[in-house]
Amino acid sequence: MKFGLVVPTYRSILDAGRTAPEMVAIAVEAERLGFDSVWVGDTLAKAPIDSLTLLGAFATRTERVTLGTAALLPALRDPLLSANAILSLDLLSQGRVTLGVGAGFAGRSEPEFAFTRVPWERRRARLDDIVALWRHVWSGKSGPFHGEVLHYDTLPEYPEPHRPGGPPVWLASFTPGALQRAGRLYDGWLPYPPDVADYADGLAKIREAAVRPVTPALFATVLIEEDPIRARERLEDYAQRNYGVPLDFVEKIQVQIAGSPAQVADRLREYQDAGAEHVLIRIATQEPAEFDEQLPRVADALPR
């Protein structure tokens, strides 16, 4: 099983004193600690550091790790300009890019779509079209493209990507429809279900529908804290500061793992046994000092 580190980039971490160059240094340190990948989030409402720009900085300072988005919201960008930006990142990193993408989270993402004047309706079909358009132009095709939502009679010509066909694209979603789409249209699956049985069931459905190899991944929020009462308090604080909602709500949607290094490792092994092959670790803190203290402890706890 591979492990990736999600580098916090949202406004709250900047307000707490983290700088953009320090984010780059975290990616370098993650590579030194043995992580297989580094990832950044993407939200217009809370991320003043652009995800693709930051990954470009990571590319110049790292040599081995995969560089990923967890998860990019492609609808917020012009599809052809984003195809060019991602292709540029692919060439700059010599093929180390993997894109986690999503269509937006109902109840939270609508303002971001409004900011960019993109219709919220048919957002999933729009996402699928954007990804298909990227693959179309990354494959050297400049002829017409007509999807369910996007239509182009002519397209610009792009240089050949480092990896034939361009970077792999993983779908970050767990709806029943997403399981079918992940198997048919995407190269990977990036959910965060709190129940291991649900993960295993979802992966089985994807494999039933798959027409291509699909990498099973997982997005997990992790905290090393041996005192169970203190662990609960710290997760509660993170949920409130990150989402503005109680932990009781968040943990029904997302996997949250807190405990001793052995407890964290055991919980991650459960998802490995359920089929997860690449786990993205988000450390549950908004404080730079706490993040820096947690990072080596989390790295040591990962089951290798």
Side-chain angles (χ1 to χ4, degrees):
M1 188 161 60
K2 295 182 178 180
F3 291 96
L5 176 70
V6 179
V7 179
T9 63
Y10 291 168
R11 178 64 182 270
S12 55
I13 199 75
L14 290 168
D15 289 345
R18 180 70 81 203
T19 67
E22 288 172 346
M23 295 174 188
V24 179
I26 289 171
V28 174
E29 178 65 4
E31 183 172 67
R32 190 192 70 80
L33 288 170
F35 282 90
D36 301 287
S37 56
V38 289
W39 304 76
V40 295
D42 182 53
T43 169
L44 187 60
K46 296 171 63 179
I49 304 297
D50 178 73
S51 56
L52 298 180
T53 301
L54 190 56
L55 289 180
F58 290 179
T60 65
R61 293 283 306 280
T62 61
E63 298 178 355
R64 174 186 55 78
V65 287
T66 294
L67 310 173
T69 55
L72 191 73
L73 295 175
L76 304 185
R77 296 166 170 81
D78 177 89
L80 293 178
L81 291 178
S82 62
N84 189 59
I86 294 164
L87 176 59
S88 301
L89 181 59
D90 169 74
L91 294 172
L92 184 66
S93 67
Q94 297 187 304
R96 290 189 284 134
V97 178
T98 293
L99 300 166
V101 300
F105 192 88
R108 297 188 64 86
S109 300
E110 291 92 338
E112 297 170 286
F113 279 66
F115 292 153
T116 52
R117 301 181 181 179
V118 175
W120 178 250
E121 296 76 17
R122 303 200 70 193
R123 64 189 184 277
R124 297 182 181 90
R126 182 181 298 276
L127 172 63
D128 293 346
D129 273 6
I130 292 173
V131 173
L133 175 65
W134 288 347
R135 289 175 173 152
H136 184 83
V137 298
W138 291 338
S139 297
K141 300 173 183 176
S142 58
F145 175 90
H146 295 287
E148 289 189 40
V149 177
L150 301 182
H151 299 276
Y152 296 87
D153 291 329
T154 60
L155 291 166
E157 295 184 8
Y158 289 76
E160 183 178 347
H162 187 276
R163 187 183 310 197
V169 185
W170 298 357
L171 181 61
S173 183
F174 191 63
T175 65
L179 300 178
Q180 293 294 318
R181 289 163 51 233
R184 292 185 295 105
L185 304 174
Y186 291 84
D187 307 298
W189 180 48
L190 181 59
Y192 44 49
D195 189 320
V196 176
D198 287 341
Y199 184 91
D201 182 65
L203 181 56
K205 288 182 170 62
I206 287 174
R207 287 175 169 161
E208 288 174 3
V211 297
R212 65 176 76 204
V214 178
T215 299
L218 175 75
F219 187 105
T221 300
V222 170
L223 181 72
I224 303 296
E225 174 56 70
E226 304 209 15
D227 182 335
I229 296 176
R230 178 62 177 152
R232 187 78 185 172
E233 291 173 346
R234 293 178 69 178
L235 288 179
E236 179 69 51
D237 178 69
Y238 184 72
Q240 292 286 356
R241 295 177 66 179
N242 200 47
Y243 295 110
V245 296
L247 176 61
D248 286 345
F249 177 83
V250 175
E251 65 185 358
K252 292 176 182 177
I253 302 171
Q254 299 180 357
V255 56
Q256 310 274 315
I257 305 173
S260 68
Q263 290 171 325
V264 168
D266 288 345
R267 182 69 168 147
L268 291 173
R269 285 192 190 95
E270 292 180 12
Y271 283 92
Q272 181 180 24
D273 292 342
E277 295 178 4
H278 201 138
V279 178
L280 281 56
I281 302 295
R282 179 178 64 173
I283 298 174
T285 180
Q286 298 278 23
E287 296 297 331
E290 289 182 357
F291 181 94
D292 295 343
E293 183 269 336
Q294 282 278 313
L295 178 55
R297 301 180 67 195
V298 168
D300 287 343
L302 299 179
R304 298 287 187 175

